[in-house]
Amino acid sequence: RWSRRRPSRKRRRDDRDDRIAVSLVGLAESRDRHFAAMAAFLDHFDLPRCERRNVVRASCTDPPRAANVGLTTLRGRADPVLSHGFDLNDGLLAQALAAFFRATSPLDAPFTSVQVNRCASNAQLAALHVDRNNQGPSLIVGVGDFSGGELWTADHAVRDLRHAYLQFDGRKPHAALPFEGPTRFTLVFWCCAGSDRLP
């Protein structure tokens, strides 16, 4: 009488490992597509000039483009308010950033705001600075077709951020390093100080 032999334990384990490997490749490809799509989206988005004096280098004649999307603080106001960046293109940017974070971030970290930075040259990179209105750690990720452009922080030295989320304390000195490529985008997901007081 013929009977089907059950695969060995080793064979079953190898088959399982193959399926996991294929799934991981698919996830990686999916994440790459999300990063490419976000870079293309931001490349066609009209961001205003950055006006933060502590970020723009003194030698820079053409400031980088940047927008804060979400809560921010204003001089003379005790509580945070919604930034102008939140209303860019009827909120489309805010929706896209939230969806991108959910699809690509390995961490389920809270944030009230997203700082979007676009640099087309090394002269536009952020100078050494601190962010005084932050509450808790921030997450930063780089998108776009560039190499280099790492993040330097006082506590973790140099770290690569292209397609990689990095956690850092924006209240400590940090800066961007030179890059090669047409455009370097960075997205900083952060919590605005005082947001815990809002209803």
Side-chain angles (χ1 to χ4, degrees), residues 105-117:
S105 174
L107 301 175
D108 186 20
F111 63 92
T112 63
S113 317
V114 187
Q115 176 70 25
V116 182
N117 305 304

Side-chain angles (χ1 to χ4, degrees), residues 97-174:
L97 292 170
F100 175 79
F101 184 84
R102 289 194 300 269
T104 60
S105 174
L107 301 175
D108 186 20
F111 63 92
T112 63
S113 317
V114 187
Q115 176 70 25
V116 182
N117 305 304
R118 180 185 189 275
C119 293
S121 71
N122 286 318
Q124 295 181 335
L125 289 173
L128 183 66
H129 69 285
V130 296
D131 301 313
R132 301 187 184 281
N133 297 322
N134 292 25
Q135 179 174 291
S138 302
L139 285 176
I140 185 172
V141 62
V143 298
D145 184 16
F146 69 91
S147 60
E150 297 89 348
L151 174 70
W152 181 92
T153 58
D155 48 356
H156 291 291
V158 176
R159 291 187 289 170
D160 184 19
L161 52 65
R162 185 176 183 270
H163 294 191
Y165 282 85
L166 303 178
Q167 190 174 74
F168 73 105
D169 188 347
R171 296 166 295 184
K172 296 182 179 179
H174 57 283

